[in-house]
Amino acid sequence: MSIASVGRVSDVALDGRHQRAERSRTAVVDALLSLYDDGILRPGVADIAARAGVSPRSVFRHFDDLEALARAAIDRQWGRVHSLFDAPSPEGDRSTRAAALVEQRLRLYAAVIGVARAAALLSLSSPVVASTLRARRRLLGGQVAALFERELRARRGPARRELAAALEATASLENVDYLRSHAGLGAERAAAVVRRTLLALLEVDDG
């Protein structure tokens, strides 16, 4: 066998090992996200490894520490769901815009709530998760402000700030989660409650 042939075989072997390592790394990240989706918000390394089909030692062969794993999970999750964060259309009357916002939030809730619950818990100890959670909340809060800009513009000072905060809280995933998980409402009833609350807030004048 020529030197060139040996080099090609070696390159193929290296490429194969790289692909296997990348598949194993992705499996670990997907396993973590699926555990969150199943309501296991603090899985151990053994849990992650078992679901990924790898050894516990392999988890830290791919990630230096849990922060690195969290960062990879954030990137993976964002790649999956980023289109659900697209802002609702600002067109239409107040009722139409409220309905569009509620539809977006219920869709988002169904797709991300397991990971969102885990993120809220992990944000207390993980700087990377805390930073990402703040950024996502700012994004969603900004969408609410943009959607109801004309109503907010009609108010002044504290009244505007209070209304903006009330609208953001009403449309938050945390509020939807309360209605679905704690109040026990189905998706349609939860949507109706959020929509009714938004419209009621918007009808209140400056006092």
Side-chain angles (χ1 to χ4, degrees), residues 83-118:
S83 63
L84 296 176
F85 283 83
D86 290 347
S89 171
E91 302 301 321
D93 61 16
R94 182 181 299 174
S95 181
T96 299
R97 284 176 281 133
L101 177 61
V102 172
E103 181 183 354
Q104 180 220 32
R105 296 305 159 91
L106 267 291
R107 238 185 3 253
L108 194 55
Y109 173 86
V112 309
I113 191 56
V115 176
R117 289 170 181 156

Side-chain angles (χ1 to χ4, degrees), residues 123-203:
S123 66
L124 301 176
S125 58
S126 168
V128 67
V129 173
S131 175
T132 300
L133 190 59
R134 286 194 298 271
R136 298 289 187 268
R137 285 173 173 164
R138 283 196 301 271
L139 171 64
L140 295 178
Q143 289 178 357
V144 176
L147 201 61
F148 299 112
E149 180 184 9
R150 69 190 74 164
E151 287 84 4
L152 289 167
R153 197 167 51 236
R155 290 157 172 80
R156 296 290 181 269
R160 179 187 294 182
R161 291 191 294 273
E162 289 168 9
L163 177 58
L167 293 171
E168 183 177 347
T170 299
S172 68
L173 294 183
E174 289 85 355
N175 186 46
V176 174
D177 193 26
Y178 174 83
L179 294 172
R180 294 298 314 278
S181 300
H182 300 285
L185 301 184
E188 289 187 8
R189 289 191 64 199
V193 169
V194 176
R195 189 167 52 249
R196 175 179 291 190
T197 307
L198 288 171
L199 293 174
L201 288 167
L202 291 164
E203 287 171 1

Side-chain angles (χ1 to χ4, degrees), residues 35-65:
L35 287 163
Y36 291 157
D37 286 337
D38 288 348
I40 303 169
L41 304 186
R42 285 191 178 276
V45 173
D47 300 314
I48 299 168
R51 182 155 302 193
V54 301
S55 68
R57 185 177 299 175
S58 295
V59 173
F60 290 112
R61 193 175 299 144
H62 298 298
F63 302 98
D64 292 336
D65 51 32

